[in-house]
Amino acid sequence: MTQPVPPDPSTIEAAGALLRAGRLVAFPTETVYGLGADATQDEAVRRVYAAKGRPAHNPLIVHLPDLAAAEPLVHLDERARLLAAAFWPGPLTLVLPARPGNGISVHATAGLMTLAIRVPVHPVAQALLRAAGRPVVAPSANPSGRVSPTRAAHVQDDLGPAVALVLDGGECPVGLESTVLDLSRPDRAALLRPGGLPREAIEAVLGPLVGPGGDPARPAAPGMLASHYAPAAPVRLDAKSVAPREALLAFGTDVPPGALATFNLSPSGDLAEAAANLFAMLRAADRAGADRIAVVPIPGAGLAEAIRDRLRRSAAPRS
Ligand code: TXA
Ligand code: MG
């Protein structure tokens, strides 16, 4: 099993060459670690699905170094350009009409006429995308349905043997996946996945968004199912007290006593800190040997919407 390597000009060059050779490279982004592959090679993209055990109907996000690299791949309308100017590079993914013959593997889009694109801000992701010189698909580097990785060691533990190289960029600063916004229809902008860029920031540019509302069991994006981000132990939400043999995810100063182990997402009640800690603490709570993980309510707007979304999915009945 390969060990994660520190990113420097030579390891990043090597990682870019591995991608061009059709191999899988895990790399840090500001949101979570991604499992990267050359988006233009069918066989490389198929390897991503195989490594994750991901259903073939769940399309992938194509990662690019800048807006200019998106021009040949998708049709960018005025809304997309406004959002790109405001938030790229950063944790925002746009779903746009694909340009026919754009060279992206059909496996990446699961046969859809749309393409999800994202320009990450993390310097290692930026350097790798430039070194690869190709569009790079990168789902979160975890087995399908499990907790996303925010440290190189998480990737190593979960997917080690399948990955040619893991670039170790330390902790992911945002800690939640990108916000996915569907702009494929001119008449509405739909929030498919709340994420690292708060809804309010997008609405300040575009006005009100639709979704994701209603039944969480009905996928908002293809493949976005109710159960996801699942630790091995069951999760109990909105806990006001703790039962014996429960581990606790707390937030703020009001911490119910009696847990087997307590992990405080943010003692000061800071949502950005809680987001950055969420997945690592879910993993740690899972390792505490508890029968169940209890989670206190996470109130509020902004990043709280995405935190609650991930917690709801981690607690959803497993299929
Ligand atoms: O922050 C992120 O976005 C991370 C890092 C690595 O960049 N990547 C990530 O990828 O979270 P993944 O594969 O775990 O999630 C991609 C989401 C899925 O819910 C998928 O269904 C949706 O984006 N998606 C991809 N292409 C789509 C499309 N054409 N239409 C609608 N949804 C799409
Ligand atoms: Mg994922």
Side-chain angles (χ1 to χ4, degrees), residues 277-299:
N277 283 330
L278 179 65
F279 290 143
M281 287 190 175
L282 261 179
R283 286 170 182 260
D286 210 15
R287 284 194 307 268
D291 292 346
R292 194 162 55 188
I293 301 170
V295 188
V296 304
I298 312 288

Side-chain angles (χ1 to χ4, degrees), residues 7-311:
D8 62 38
S10 73
T11 54
I12 285 173
E13 234 3 273
L18 285 167
L19 286 172
R20 288 193 300 277
R23 309 284 299 279
L24 304 186
V25 172
F27 62 99
T29 80
E30 67 277 18
T31 60
V32 300
Y33 276 76
L35 181 63
D38 181 344
T40 68
Q41 293 185 45
D42 287 339
E43 196 47 46
V45 177
R46 265 202 292 263
R47 275 195 196 109
V48 170
Y49 284 88
K52 283 181 61 83
R54 183 178 178 107
H57 60 80
N58 191 1
L60 302 174
I61 298 171
V62 168
H63 292 61
L64 304 165
D66 51 34
L67 175 65
E71 303 279 0
L73 305 183
V74 289
H75 294 284
L76 293 142
D77 64 11
E78 186 58 27
R79 300 171 300 171
R81 289 182 194 284
L82 282 171
L83 292 175
F87 304 118
W88 278 358
L92 172 65
T93 294
L94 298 178
V95 174
L96 295 164
R99 286 188 190 273
N102 62 12
I104 301 296
S105 166
V106 292
H107 302 301
T109 54
L112 297 172
M113 307 296 284
T114 56
L115 184 65
I117 52 173
R118 153 158 153 72
V119 176
V121 71
H122 195 292
V124 176
Q126 276 284 330
L128 177 63
L129 291 169
R130 287 173 200 282
R134 310 269 176 90
V136 170
V137 289
S140 50
N142 53 282
S144 189
R146 311 306 295 203
V147 179
S148 299
T150 53
R151 315 267 191 282
H154 298 162
V155 182
Q156 192 65 20
D157 292 348
D158 289 354
L159 296 177
V163 184
L165 188 74
V166 181
L167 290 171
D168 186 349
E171 302 180 6
C172 300
V174 175
L176 297 170
E177 296 86 345
S178 62
T179 301
V180 180
L181 186 71
D182 182 1
L183 294 180
S184 64
R185 282 172 43 173
D187 57 328
R188 55 141 182 72
L191 184 62
L192 299 184
R193 178 176 73 181
L197 182 68
R199 162 204 295 272
E200 294 84 350
I202 301 171
E203 290 185 331
V205 176
L206 288 192
L209 307 178
V210 304
D215 181 2
R218 281 183 47 203
M224 242 191 113
L225 298 170
S227 177
H228 202 146
Y229 312 101
V235 175
R236 180 170 72 88
L237 300 181
D238 296 322
K240 305 283 188 333
S241 61
V242 181
R245 302 216 36 83
E246 281 187 330
L248 178 70
L249 282 196
F251 177 68
T253 49
D254 189 10
V255 180
L260 202 65
T262 296
F263 304 88
N264 199 326
L265 294 169
S266 172
S268 67
D270 179 78
L271 288 169
E273 183 183 23
N277 283 330
L278 179 65
F279 290 143
M281 287 190 175
L282 261 179
R283 286 170 182 260
D286 210 15
R287 284 194 307 268
D291 292 346
R292 194 162 55 188
I293 301 170
V295 188
V296 304
I298 312 288
L303 287 174
E305 184 181 8
I307 295 173
R308 285 193 297 268
D309 170 82
R310 303 305 188 268
L311 287 169

